[in-house]
Amino acid sequence: MRPEDQAPRVVAGRIGWLHSLVHGEIGRRIVAGEKPEAIATAILELLDVDEEMLSTTALTDATRPPGAAPAAASAQV
């Protein structure tokens, strides 16, 4: 990653926002008394909408090539 490349920061922010949105939506629906199956369906639809709105750059920014092993976990951030 080049120091001037802001894309990773933007993608990370978007993932953080989506994480918050999904958890908030789940909580709201639980309080409303919805069944788990209905909640799961609604969340998957929400994720589909977000995926459609992301660019190819964002969707492929941190992907591994097919068949590549996951990198070892690192304590560095």
Side-chain angles (χ1 to χ4, degrees):
M1 177 177 89
R2 297 179 318 252
E4 67 276 3
D5 185 5
Q6 296 298 314
R9 288 185 63 220
V10 173
V11 171
R14 178 71 178 258
I15 292 169
W17 169 81
L18 183 60
H19 180 265
S20 178
L21 177 69
V22 165
H23 282 270
E25 187 70 11
I26 290 169
R28 186 184 68 74
R29 289 174 178 273
I30 288 171
V31 170
E34 290 188 35
K35 295 192 180 297
E37 296 81 12
I39 295 171
T41 299
I43 296 303
L44 289 173
E45 290 172 1
L46 180 68
L47 291 171
D48 285 343
V49 168
D50 189 65
E51 182 180 19
E52 289 173 13
M53 296 177 73
L54 286 173
S55 71
T56 303
T57 301
L59 290 173
T60 59
D61 187 57
T63 58
R64 289 188 292 270
S74 172
Q76 289 182 312
V77 177

